[in-house]
mmCIF file of all heavy atoms in Angstrom:
data_model
loop_
_atom_site.group_PDB
_atom_site.id
_atom_site.type_symbol
_atom_site.label_atom_id
_atom_site.label_comp_id
_atom_site.label_asym_id
_atom_site.label_seq_id
_atom_site.Cartn_x
_atom_site.Cartn_y
_atom_site.Cartn_z
ATOM 1 N N GLY Y 61 28.205 22.111 -4.387
ATOM 2 C CA GLY Y 61 26.749 22.236 -4.420
ATOM 3 C C GLY Y 61 26.222 23.426 -5.182
ATOM 4 O O GLY Y 61 25.043 23.443 -5.550
ATOM 5 N N ALA Y 62 27.044 24.451 -5.417
ATOM 6 C CA ALA Y 62 26.657 25.651 -6.162
ATOM 7 C C ALA Y 62 25.546 26.421 -5.447
ATOM 8 O O ALA Y 62 24.951 25.945 -4.480
ATOM 9 C CB ALA Y 62 26.255 25.317 -7.592
ATOM 10 N N CYS Y 63 25.299 27.628 -5.929
ATOM 11 C CA CYS Y 63 24.302 28.517 -5.335
ATOM 12 C C CYS Y 63 23.034 28.555 -6.177
ATOM 13 O O CYS Y 63 23.016 28.126 -7.327
ATOM 14 C CB CYS Y 63 24.866 29.932 -5.209
ATOM 15 S SG CYS Y 63 26.040 30.145 -3.865
ATOM 16 N N SER Y 64 21.981 29.113 -5.595
ATOM 17 C CA SER Y 64 20.736 29.364 -6.301
ATOM 18 C C SER Y 64 20.145 30.654 -5.752
ATOM 19 O O SER Y 64 20.452 31.055 -4.622
ATOM 20 C CB SER Y 64 19.749 28.215 -6.101
ATOM 21 O OG SER Y 64 19.288 28.183 -4.768
ATOM 22 N N PRO Y 65 19.298 31.347 -6.526
ATOM 23 C CA PRO Y 65 18.717 32.604 -6.045
ATOM 24 C C PRO Y 65 17.977 32.479 -4.722
ATOM 25 O O PRO Y 65 17.937 33.441 -3.948
ATOM 26 C CB PRO Y 65 17.776 33.000 -7.191
ATOM 27 C CG PRO Y 65 18.373 32.373 -8.411
ATOM 28 C CD PRO Y 65 18.933 31.065 -7.931
ATOM 29 N N ALA Y 66 17.410 31.313 -4.451
ATOM 30 C CA ALA Y 66 16.682 31.131 -3.184
ATOM 31 C C ALA Y 66 17.574 31.345 -1.978
ATOM 32 O O ALA Y 66 17.087 31.685 -0.890
ATOM 33 C CB ALA Y 66 16.057 29.736 -3.127
ATOM 34 N N MET Y 67 18.884 31.181 -2.150
ATOM 35 C CA MET Y 67 19.797 31.326 -1.023
ATOM 36 C C MET Y 67 19.947 32.777 -0.567
ATOM 37 O O MET Y 67 20.549 33.039 0.467
ATOM 38 C CB MET Y 67 21.159 30.724 -1.383
ATOM 39 C CG MET Y 67 21.101 29.228 -1.589
ATOM 40 S SD MET Y 67 22.646 28.496 -2.202
ATOM 41 C CE MET Y 67 23.700 28.691 -0.780
ATOM 42 N N ALA Y 68 19.391 33.732 -1.338
ATOM 43 C CA ALA Y 68 19.397 35.131 -0.907
ATOM 44 C C ALA Y 68 18.152 35.487 -0.102
ATOM 45 O O ALA Y 68 18.037 36.627 0.367
ATOM 46 C CB ALA Y 68 19.500 36.043 -2.125
ATOM 47 N N ARG Y 69 17.256 34.532 0.114
ATOM 48 C CA ARG Y 69 15.969 34.847 0.733
ATOM 49 C C ARG Y 69 15.994 34.834 2.257
ATOM 50 O O ARG Y 69 14.985 35.128 2.898
ATOM 51 C CB ARG Y 69 14.888 33.877 0.226
ATOM 52 C CG ARG Y 69 14.646 33.991 -1.257
ATOM 53 C CD ARG Y 69 13.485 33.139 -1.721
ATOM 54 N NE ARG Y 69 12.204 33.691 -1.264
ATOM 55 C CZ ARG Y 69 11.026 33.202 -1.638
ATOM 56 N NH1 ARG Y 69 10.966 32.150 -2.467
ATOM 57 N NH2 ARG Y 69 9.907 33.738 -1.182
ATOM 58 N N TYR Y 70 17.120 34.518 2.846
ATOM 59 C CA TYR Y 70 17.229 34.544 4.305
ATOM 60 C C TYR Y 70 17.495 35.961 4.831
ATOM 61 O O TYR Y 70 17.503 36.165 6.042
ATOM 62 C CB TYR Y 70 18.383 33.640 4.760
ATOM 63 C CG TYR Y 70 18.267 32.213 4.293
ATOM 64 C CD1 TYR Y 70 18.967 31.775 3.168
ATOM 65 C CD2 TYR Y 70 17.458 31.307 4.952
ATOM 66 C CE1 TYR Y 70 18.853 30.461 2.729
ATOM 67 C CE2 TYR Y 70 17.340 29.996 4.521
ATOM 68 C CZ TYR Y 70 18.041 29.580 3.398
ATOM 69 O OH TYR Y 70 17.924 28.299 2.963
ATOM 70 N N PHE Y 71 17.677 36.913 3.929
ATOM 71 C CA PHE Y 71 18.234 38.208 4.310
ATOM 72 C C PHE Y 71 17.303 39.353 3.924
ATOM 73 O O PHE Y 71 16.783 39.391 2.801
ATOM 74 C CB PHE Y 71 19.593 38.406 3.620
ATOM 75 C CG PHE Y 71 20.473 37.187 3.692
ATOM 76 C CD1 PHE Y 71 20.638 36.351 2.596
ATOM 77 C CD2 PHE Y 71 21.122 36.859 4.877
ATOM 78 C CE1 PHE Y 71 21.444 35.227 2.661
ATOM 79 C CE2 PHE Y 71 21.927 35.730 4.955
ATOM 80 C CZ PHE Y 71 22.084 34.914 3.849
ATOM 81 N N ASP Y 72 17.144 40.295 4.846
ATOM 82 C CA ASP Y 72 16.376 41.505 4.589
ATOM 83 C C ASP Y 72 17.077 42.294 3.485
ATOM 84 O O ASP Y 72 18.192 42.793 3.680
ATOM 85 C CB ASP Y 72 16.292 42.331 5.873
ATOM 86 C CG ASP Y 72 15.503 43.608 5.715
ATOM 87 O OD1 ASP Y 72 15.174 43.987 4.575
ATOM 88 O OD2 ASP Y 72 15.227 44.250 6.753
ATOM 89 N N PRO Y 73 16.455 42.442 2.305
ATOM 90 C CA PRO Y 73 17.153 43.110 1.198
ATOM 91 C C PRO Y 73 17.371 44.600 1.432
ATOM 92 O O PRO Y 73 18.207 45.206 0.754
ATOM 93 C CB PRO Y 73 16.220 42.872 0.005
ATOM 94 C CG PRO Y 73 14.869 42.658 0.607
ATOM 95 C CD PRO Y 73 15.108 41.970 1.914
ATOM 96 N N ALA Y 74 16.660 45.178 2.391
ATOM 97 C CA ALA Y 74 16.895 46.590 2.712
ATOM 98 C C ALA Y 74 18.105 46.759 3.617
ATOM 99 O O ALA Y 74 18.715 47.837 3.659
ATOM 100 C CB ALA Y 74 15.657 47.189 3.375
ATOM 101 N N ARG Y 75 18.468 45.716 4.337
ATOM 102 C CA ARG Y 75 19.569 45.813 5.307
ATOM 103 C C ARG Y 75 20.878 45.253 4.777
ATOM 104 O O ARG Y 75 21.941 45.815 5.045
ATOM 105 C CB ARG Y 75 19.185 45.080 6.590
ATOM 106 C CG ARG Y 75 20.308 45.026 7.613
ATOM 107 C CD ARG Y 75 19.921 44.327 8.897
ATOM 108 N NE ARG Y 75 21.070 44.229 9.788
ATOM 109 C CZ ARG Y 75 21.047 43.633 10.988
ATOM 110 N NH1 ARG Y 75 19.918 43.100 11.449
ATOM 111 N NH2 ARG Y 75 22.144 43.581 11.725
ATOM 112 N N TYR Y 76 20.815 44.148 4.051
ATOM 113 C CA TYR Y 76 22.028 43.398 3.752
ATOM 114 C C TYR Y 76 22.445 43.503 2.280
ATOM 115 O O TYR Y 76 21.606 43.567 1.370
ATOM 116 C CB TYR Y 76 21.831 41.923 4.105
ATOM 117 C CG TYR Y 76 21.714 41.654 5.584
ATOM 118 C CD1 TYR Y 76 20.515 41.209 6.147
ATOM 119 C CD2 TYR Y 76 22.799 41.856 6.427
ATOM 120 C CE1 TYR Y 76 20.412 40.955 7.511
ATOM 121 C CE2 TYR Y 76 22.712 41.609 7.788
ATOM 122 C CZ TYR Y 76 21.517 41.156 8.320
ATOM 123 O OH TYR Y 76 21.426 40.925 9.664
ATOM 124 N N ARG Y 77 23.740 43.472 2.090
ATOM 125 C CA ARG Y 77 24.348 43.312 0.773
ATOM 126 C C ARG Y 77 24.802 41.853 0.692
ATOM 127 O O ARG Y 77 25.763 41.453 1.365
ATOM 128 C CB ARG Y 77 25.533 44.255 0.609
ATOM 129 C CG ARG Y 77 26.266 44.130 -0.721
ATOM 130 C CD ARG Y 77 27.561 44.936 -0.706
ATOM 131 N NE ARG Y 77 28.243 44.839 -1.987
ATOM 132 C CZ ARG Y 77 29.491 45.238 -2.197
ATOM 133 N NH1 ARG Y 77 30.204 45.774 -1.202
ATOM 134 N NH2 ARG Y 77 30.036 45.109 -3.395
ATOM 135 N N VAL Y 78 24.117 41.044 -0.103
ATOM 136 C CA VAL Y 78 24.287 39.595 -0.081
ATOM 137 C C VAL Y 78 25.101 39.150 -1.300
ATOM 138 O O VAL Y 78 24.741 39.451 -2.445
ATOM 139 C CB VAL Y 78 22.911 38.895 -0.074
ATOM 140 C CG1 VAL Y 78 23.084 37.381 -0.044
ATOM 141 C CG2 VAL Y 78 22.076 39.374 1.113
ATOM 142 N N ILE Y 79 26.169 38.427 -1.034
ATOM 143 C CA ILE Y 79 27.048 37.925 -2.092
ATOM 144 C C ILE Y 79 26.925 36.401 -2.149
ATOM 145 O O ILE Y 79 27.210 35.705 -1.167
ATOM 146 C CB ILE Y 79 28.521 38.304 -1.846
ATOM 147 C CG1 ILE Y 79 28.664 39.802 -1.548
ATOM 148 C CG2 ILE Y 79 29.374 37.871 -3.039
ATOM 149 C CD1 ILE Y 79 28.182 40.703 -2.644
ATOM 150 N N LEU Y 80 26.490 35.892 -3.282
ATOM 151 C CA LEU Y 80 26.495 34.456 -3.557
ATOM 152 C C LEU Y 80 27.575 34.174 -4.598
ATOM 153 O O LEU Y 80 27.777 34.978 -5.513
ATOM 154 C CB LEU Y 80 25.157 33.984 -4.126
ATOM 155 C CG LEU Y 80 23.849 34.319 -3.407
ATOM 156 C CD1 LEU Y 80 22.679 33.655 -4.136
ATOM 157 C CD2 LEU Y 80 23.879 33.883 -1.964
ATOM 158 N N PHE Y 81 28.263 33.052 -4.471
ATOM 159 C CA PHE Y 81 29.190 32.666 -5.530
ATOM 160 C C PHE Y 81 29.318 31.157 -5.580
ATOM 161 O O PHE Y 81 29.101 30.456 -4.580
ATOM 162 C CB PHE Y 81 30.565 33.321 -5.347
ATOM 163 C CG PHE Y 81 31.412 32.747 -4.236
ATOM 164 C CD1 PHE Y 81 32.397 31.807 -4.507
ATOM 165 C CD2 PHE Y 81 31.229 33.147 -2.918
ATOM 166 C CE1 PHE Y 81 33.190 31.282 -3.494
ATOM 167 C CE2 PHE Y 81 32.025 32.639 -1.902
ATOM 168 C CZ PHE Y 81 33.006 31.700 -2.183
ATOM 169 N N ASP Y 82 29.629 30.667 -6.767
ATOM 170 C CA ASP Y 82 29.871 29.243 -6.979
ATOM 171 C C ASP Y 82 31.355 28.963 -6.785
ATOM 172 O O ASP Y 82 32.201 29.602 -7.431
ATOM 173 C CB ASP Y 82 29.440 28.815 -8.381
ATOM 174 C CG ASP Y 82 27.935 28.919 -8.597
ATOM 175 O OD1 ASP Y 82 27.194 28.850 -7.599
ATOM 176 O OD2 ASP Y 82 27.511 29.078 -9.759
ATOM 177 N N GLN Y 83 31.673 28.035 -5.906
ATOM 178 C CA GLN Y 83 33.064 27.690 -5.646
ATOM 179 C C GLN Y 83 33.679 27.000 -6.862
ATOM 180 O O GLN Y 83 32.983 26.643 -7.824
ATOM 181 C CB GLN Y 83 33.130 26.806 -4.388
ATOM 182 C CG GLN Y 83 32.676 27.531 -3.123
ATOM 183 C CD GLN Y 83 32.233 26.596 -2.011
ATOM 184 O OE1 GLN Y 83 32.701 25.455 -1.904
ATOM 185 N NE2 GLN Y 83 31.311 27.058 -1.171
ATOM 186 N N ARG Y 84 34.972 26.823 -6.832
ATOM 187 C CA ARG Y 84 35.690 26.280 -7.990
ATOM 188 C C ARG Y 84 35.100 24.952 -8.468
ATOM 189 O O ARG Y 84 34.780 24.077 -7.670
ATOM 190 C CB ARG Y 84 37.170 26.069 -7.658
ATOM 191 C CG ARG Y 84 37.916 27.355 -7.337
ATOM 192 C CD ARG Y 84 39.404 27.115 -7.165
ATOM 193 N NE ARG Y 84 40.095 28.352 -6.785
ATOM 194 C CZ ARG Y 84 41.372 28.609 -7.052
ATOM 195 N NH1 ARG Y 84 42.117 27.708 -7.671
ATOM 196 N NH2 ARG Y 84 41.919 29.755 -6.677
ATOM 197 N N GLY Y 85 34.962 24.851 -9.776
ATOM 198 C CA GLY Y 85 34.613 23.577 -10.393
ATOM 199 C C GLY Y 85 33.140 23.275 -10.520
ATOM 200 O O GLY Y 85 32.785 22.214 -11.038
ATOM 201 N N CYS Y 86 32.258 24.199 -10.072
ATOM 202 C CA CYS Y 86 30.830 23.860 -10.069
ATOM 203 C C CYS Y 86 29.982 25.052 -10.448
ATOM 204 O O CYS Y 86 30.455 26.184 -10.551
ATOM 205 C CB CYS Y 86 30.414 23.327 -8.697
ATOM 206 S SG CYS Y 86 30.403 24.556 -7.374
ATOM 207 N N GLY Y 87 28.689 24.782 -10.630
ATOM 208 C CA GLY Y 87 27.729 25.835 -10.925
ATOM 209 C C GLY Y 87 28.076 26.558 -12.212
ATOM 210 O O GLY Y 87 28.336 25.945 -13.254
ATOM 211 N N LYS Y 88 28.096 27.901 -12.137
ATOM 212 C CA LYS Y 88 28.405 28.722 -13.298
ATOM 213 C C LYS Y 88 29.850 29.207 -13.281
ATOM 214 O O LYS Y 88 30.234 30.030 -14.128
ATOM 215 C CB LYS Y 88 27.454 29.919 -13.370
ATOM 216 C CG LYS Y 88 25.996 29.523 -13.575
ATOM 217 C CD LYS Y 88 25.096 30.751 -13.625
ATOM 218 C CE LYS Y 88 23.640 30.362 -13.776
ATOM 219 N NZ LYS Y 88 22.740 31.564 -13.799
ATOM 220 N N SER Y 89 30.638 28.724 -12.318
ATOM 221 C CA SER Y 89 32.068 29.029 -12.347
ATOM 222 C C SER Y 89 32.718 28.249 -13.482
ATOM 223 O O SER Y 89 32.144 27.292 -14.020
ATOM 224 C CB SER Y 89 32.716 28.698 -11.005
ATOM 225 O OG SER Y 89 32.290 29.612 -10.002
ATOM 226 N N GLU Y 90 33.905 28.661 -13.860
ATOM 227 C CA GLU Y 90 34.606 28.037 -14.989
ATOM 228 C C GLU Y 90 36.037 27.696 -14.605
ATOM 229 O O GLU Y 90 36.679 28.501 -13.923
ATOM 230 C CB GLU Y 90 34.623 29.012 -16.190
ATOM 231 C CG GLU Y 90 33.251 29.390 -16.688
ATOM 232 C CD GLU Y 90 33.312 30.465 -17.772
ATOM 233 O OE1 GLU Y 90 34.415 31.018 -18.014
ATOM 234 O OE2 GLU Y 90 32.270 30.767 -18.376
ATOM 235 N N PRO Y 91 36.538 26.521 -15.012
ATOM 236 C CA PRO Y 91 35.824 25.432 -15.666
ATOM 237 C C PRO Y 91 35.099 24.578 -14.635
ATOM 238 O O PRO Y 91 35.441 24.629 -13.441
ATOM 239 C CB PRO Y 91 36.953 24.639 -16.325
ATOM 240 C CG PRO Y 91 38.103 24.814 -15.360
ATOM 241 C CD PRO Y 91 37.970 26.217 -14.816
#
Side-chain angles (χ1 to χ4, degrees):
C63 284
S64 69
M67 294 173 69
R69 297 186 71 174
Y70 303 98
F71 315 103
D72 180 349
R75 175 179 176 182
Y76 291 112
R77 178 189 181 192
V78 180
I79 310 300
L80 308 184
F81 74 98
D82 294 335
Q83 295 158 29
R84 296 186 183 207
C86 70
K88 296 179 182 179
S89 290
E90 299 174 352

